[in-house]
Amino acid sequence: MVRTSQPTELTVQAQINGITLAFNDQGAGLPLVFLHAFPLNRTMWADQEQSLSSQFRVITMDLRGHGESDAPLWRYTLDQAADDVIGLLNHLSIQQAVFVGLSMGGYILFALCRTYADRIKGLVLADTRAQADTAEGKAARFQMAQTAYRKGPSAVADIMIPKLLSPSTIQTKPELVQRVRRMIEGNQISGIAGDLMAMAERPDSVPLLKQITCPTQIIVGEDDLPTPPADAKLMAGQIPDTRLAVIPAAAHLSNLEQPDSFSEIVRAFAFGLPR
Ligand code: MLT
């Protein structure tokens, strides 16, 4: 059952699966749960939170290893991240929600589909892909973990920013670039390396696509390089109840580069779901 009761207060922390997870909980109505990209944190959803929390209950969380959540030095998996998401929903007494996951957040949504399909009312898969890493991709993750360990998160920011944002954003929006840099630099090395291992080990989710039965919205920035429109079209071609939106003038972090378009797509999708 979807909780549609009165507004919840802004909450910041909960003990979930033996660690502290930080989150925001704003608004009332159909819950929308936002899962951020690697290696960012829940503040990447600030525009969506502001725009959508007058009509929905908007929950953003720092995944294990990020932002204000704990970053234990141990093995990370995407299944464990899905367990954390569901642990938080249980803590908030939310049975079903619409989940919005961008890139790594989308990988976690595939893990959620495998184990917790009954908790999903609708899915928004943004700038993500169903395929597993190639051997070359896994090797690059290994190298990035070594960079993080030897040189720290700011060296990871140097590598990631040109992959996350378009050249024109990097040239013309220094405040947005700084915001992304601060998010990356705020993470601990244990979390960055843990995520890299988790993503490298994730299974191929292409065979899962045909089994996703909930309504699904796919979003991709037209200039996304890490997860280009071709990956979005592959998902759209196989998930039965799906629609695809390509956002112009946006790269990988389409919700940050075109926040209004992104929020409008999520709003229209959530309003269109059966009540
Ligand atoms: C992300 O934005 O979460 C990452 O680019 C995902 C990845 O590295 O595969």
Side-chain angles (χ1 to χ4, degrees):
M1 187 199 309
V2 175
R3 177 173 161 163
T4 54
S5 58
Q6 283 313 297
T8 0
E9 290 178 11
L10 186 71
T11 315
V12 290
Q13 282 190 339
Q15 295 300 309
I16 307 289
N17 298 330
I19 63 164
T20 299
L21 291 181
F23 65 100
N24 290 357
D25 181 0
Q26 293 194 50
L30 176 64
L32 307 184
V33 178
F34 287 80
L35 305 182
H36 60 75
F38 167 84
L40 305 183
N41 65 42
R42 73 191 195 277
T43 66
M44 74 170 252
W45 299 115
D47 290 302
Q48 283 68 46
E49 204 169 51
Q50 190 175 16
S51 154
L52 297 168
S53 60
S54 56
Q55 291 157 309
F56 301 98
R57 183 174 179 182
V58 175
I59 294 158
T60 62
M61 63 185 287
D62 284 344
L63 295 162
R64 175 187 294 253
H66 297 257
E68 297 177 299
S69 290
D70 283 347
L73 179 62
W74 201 242
R75 180 166 181 258
Y76 287 53
T77 69
L78 298 175
D79 287 334
Q80 176 191 51
D83 290 343
D84 288 345
V85 172
I86 293 301
L88 180 61
L89 260 58
N90 291 345
H91 173 80
L92 297 172
S93 303
I94 294 172
Q95 179 56 30
Q96 255 199 344
V98 175
F99 293 91
V100 183
L102 192 143
S103 199
M104 184 181 73
Y107 306 160
I108 295 167
L109 294 186
F110 292 129
L112 214 65
C113 287
R114 274 188 269 275
T115 312
Y116 299 106
D118 60 322
R119 308 296 291 266
I120 304 173
K121 186 165 178 68
L123 274 185
V124 180
L125 295 164
D127 299 285
T128 194
R129 64 172 185 264
Q131 304 94 310
D133 278 0
T134 59
E136 193 185 28
K138 285 184 210 281
R141 298 214 192 271
F142 174 82
Q143 288 307 334
M144 194 181 294
Q146 308 321 302
T147 300
Y149 182 58
R150 293 199 188 106
K151 300 185 179 165
S154 82
V156 173
D158 293 341
I159 299 168
M160 287 303 295
I161 286 172
K163 296 180 199 275
L164 299 175
L165 298 169
S166 65
S168 109
T169 293
I170 290 173
Q171 274 176 6
T172 61
K173 295 188 179 163
E175 68 298 335
L176 180 53
V177 178
Q178 275 313 309
R179 195 175 143 204
V180 171
R181 178 172 281 282
R182 275 196 303 277
M183 283 188 241
I184 298 175
E185 291 181 349
N187 291 322
Q188 296 180 46
I189 293 164
S190 52
I192 292 175
D195 276 354
L196 288 163
M197 285 186 265
M199 290 191 288
E201 286 179 357
R202 75 185 192 283
D204 181 11
S205 292
V206 174
L208 175 76
L209 298 175
K210 285 196 163 70
Q211 297 162 34
I212 296 178
T213 52
C214 64
T216 301
Q217 172 73 58
I218 296 168
I219 302 176
V220 65
E222 77 174 336
D223 303 319
D224 185 340
L225 292 179
T227 53
D231 290 342
K233 286 178 189 152
L234 186 149
M235 295 188 290
Q238 302 215 28
I239 299 176
D241 180 2
T242 192
R243 61 285 293 142
L244 169 64
V246 181
I247 301 184
H252 191 54
L253 297 181
S254 59
N255 77 304
L256 284 172
E257 291 194 301
Q258 298 298 338
D260 294 344
S261 305
F262 192 101
S263 298
E264 283 318 309
I265 294 163
V266 175
R267 191 194 318 276
F269 173 68
F271 271 134
L273 290 171
R275 299 282 149 165

